[in-house]
Amino acid sequence: MRKKIVAGNWKCNTTLQEGVALAKEVEKLYSEKGDKNVVVVLGTPFTHITEVQKTVSNVGVAAQNCAAEAKGAFTGEVSAEMIKSTGAKYVILGHSERREYYGETSETLNKKVALTLQNGLTPIYCCGEALAIREAGTQKQYVINQLKETIFKLSEEDFKKIVIAYEPIWAIGTGKTASSAQAQEMHKDLRDSIAANYNKAIADQTSILYGGSCKASNAKELFANPDVDGGLIGGAALQAEEFLGIVNAF
Ligand code: PGA
């Protein structure tokens, strides 16, 4: 059976001290009363990973990005190997904010996915359409094309290690969640496209997370869908109780 995953994406929020305190609280709440069928991951800023990693044991840690090169003269970059050396197990890749503000293309993402996999890390690969595309009704082709240009080029063996996060851009940080039906429709389309590109067994074992204004109050309805396997959570991941409410929403 595929994994249920709730991953926090803290983005550019929290000081080191605040981040460690938040991680400690999530670890405590999850250990005490969290649904143990759900894998919980905290996507922290690079500066926090090592310290957060030391404070958690039941909860996993993710970076929010990695360099497109293995090492060398790339000032300011953090490599997949460096992330691996902290003990973190996941890397969020291709978030729409990185595509939009930092010019991430399918080409750079292919390099990042490859380096992440080479280092034994799990990519949480983000995809999703902007409002204009949704309004034009071409979101399905658009999002599947994002996968075709990137992770659908992976071998079966590598693709099996990928977690997908579908995040409609118009729902991110806007308080405007995709309806439960809209989420299910896209997740089903994505799963069907995985089956067409690989096979049904691989499609059935791929976790597809929903992201975009997911909160404790709407997570239950979203997660009740057969093809929604969890969430990638931004704003609501910055409060431990609220985040745990999402973890426990299955
Ligand atoms: P949000 O962000 O939950 O604040 O909408 C989700 C994300 O961008 O990962």
Side-chain angles (χ1 to χ4, degrees):
M1 237 196 29
R2 57 182 175 259
K3 282 185 190 142
K4 293 178 171 135
I5 303 170
V6 173
N9 175 12
W10 294 1
K11 307 191 181 184
C12 190
N13 292 300
T14 73
T15 62
L16 174 61
Q17 293 74 21
E18 288 163 351
V20 169
L22 174 59
K24 268 189 189 152
E25 211 184 333
V26 172
E27 167 77 20
K28 183 170 177 284
L29 289 174
Y30 177 70
S31 303
E32 283 170 10
K33 54 180 186 180
D35 180 348
K36 304 301 180 301
N37 292 317
V38 180
V39 174
V40 176
V41 178
L42 304 177
T44 81
F46 285 133
T47 43
H48 303 16
I49 296 179
T50 307
E51 284 303 311
V52 166
Q53 185 62 41
K54 282 187 211 156
T55 68
V56 295
S57 48
N58 293 322
V59 163
V61 180
Q64 299 171 19
N65 179 30
C66 76
E69 308 296 336
K71 57 157 65 174
F74 303 102
T75 303
E77 290 293 283
V78 175
S79 72
E81 190 181 19
M82 293 173 194
I83 295 165
K84 179 190 176 188
S85 71
T86 67
K89 296 280 188 290
Y90 302 83
V91 185
I92 299 169
L93 289 175
H95 191 281
S96 57
E97 287 152 15
R98 296 218 51 89
R99 292 180 195 252
E100 193 179 338
Y101 309 141
Y102 303 98
E104 258 180 24
T105 61
S106 294
E107 203 184 346
T108 41
L109 283 168
N110 283 334
K111 292 193 200 171
K112 292 181 180 195
V113 168
L115 287 162
T116 299
L117 290 169
Q118 275 163 31
N119 283 285
L121 300 164
T122 299
I124 300 176
Y125 184 85
C126 304
C127 55
E129 81 287 356
L131 184 60
I133 293 164
R134 169 68 58 169
E135 283 174 350
T138 53
Q139 66 273 12
K140 178 179 169 183
Q141 299 91 296
Y142 182 86
V143 176
I144 290 174
N145 198 48
Q146 285 184 320
L147 305 189
K148 280 191 179 154
E149 287 182 354
T150 54
I151 53 175
F152 278 1
K153 294 184 177 178
L154 294 170
S155 66
E156 281 189 12
E157 201 192 319
D158 277 342
F159 185 83
K160 284 189 201 165
K161 298 170 189 153
I162 300 274
V163 172
I164 294 176
Y166 167 61
E167 300 203 305
I169 298 171
W170 46 273
I172 295 177
T174 57
K176 203 173 168 188
T177 321
S179 70
S180 175
Q182 283 173 322
Q184 169 56 24
E185 190 183 6
M186 179 62 85
H187 282 229
K188 168 90 169 57
D189 287 341
L190 293 180
R191 201 175 304 287
D192 289 347
S193 76
I194 298 168
N197 200 66
Y198 294 97
N199 58 55
K200 187 167 181 314
I202 291 182
D204 284 344
Q205 67 94 57
T206 303
S207 297
I208 308 178
L209 317 183
Y210 169 80
S213 300
C214 182
K215 307 182 269 289
S217 59
N218 59 22
K220 217 176 194 63
E221 202 189 333
L222 287 160
F223 295 176
N225 287 303
D227 289 293
V228 178
D229 306 310
L232 181 57
I233 317 299
L238 296 171
Q239 291 166 350
E241 282 281 0
E242 175 74 14
F243 186 63
L244 194 84
I246 300 172
V247 171
N248 286 346
F250 286 95

